[in-house]
Amino acid sequence: QSFKLLGFLDVKKVPCARESVLYGSVGSLVVGLGHFLVTSRVRRSCDFAVGGFICTMLGYWFYCRYNLAQQRIRQRMIKEGMRNRILFEGTSLDPERKRTGNEGSDS
């Protein structure tokens, strides 16, 4: 069952959305409760809690998306390397093939 945040963001299908919301809610609780314990002002603490939620959620969102993009780049590079390995294995273009003095002959 999917959960839509703000009516359009499907938390289950969008990468990093679930974790961002969870970390944002924890950040909201920590910031709001911490501000309340220091100042004992309820309304101001709720404002800080909302701000803590937004900052924590966006911060983790960008962090997670950046790591996801790096992971996809690494996967693409590995996939390309594996494809090239299969393509060039046993040919003269194989980088692991030992180069000897008689490079012109295939033995």
Side-chain angles (χ1 to χ4, degrees):
Q1 184 179 9
S2 65
F3 172 71
K4 292 193 184 268
L5 185 67
L6 301 175
F8 64 91
L9 179 65
D10 192 1
V11 175
K12 194 172 186 179
K13 292 182 182 175
V14 177
C16 300
R18 179 179 177 269
E19 292 85 4
S20 296
V21 171
L22 290 174
Y23 280 115
S25 61
V26 170
S28 168
L29 182 69
V30 168
V31 170
L33 189 60
H35 190 270
F36 177 74
L37 291 175
V38 171
T39 62
S40 297
R41 296 174 64 191
V42 176
R43 181 169 171 81
R44 186 82 170 156
S45 297
C46 289
D47 293 341
F48 269 80
V50 170
F53 174 77
I54 292 170
C55 289
T56 307
M57 186 181 76
L58 287 177
Y60 188 75
W61 172 270
F62 288 121
Y63 170 76
C64 183
R65 294 297 287 204
Y66 178 75
N67 284 339
L68 187 64
Q70 280 189 333
Q71 181 183 9
R72 286 182 179 166
I73 289 170
R74 282 192 301 268
Q75 285 176 344
R76 207 173 320 136
M77 288 172 56
I78 290 171
K79 185 177 179 181
E80 181 76 18
M82 289 171 58
R83 188 173 59 82
N84 286 342
R85 167 98 187 217
I86 292 169
L87 199 66
F88 297 130
E89 191 172 27
T91 66
S92 62
L93 298 173
D94 189 2
E96 291 186 10
R97 191 172 184 187
K98 299 288 184 198
R99 300 267 179 198
T100 60
N102 53 359
E103 290 182 14
S105 65
D106 283 334
S107 304

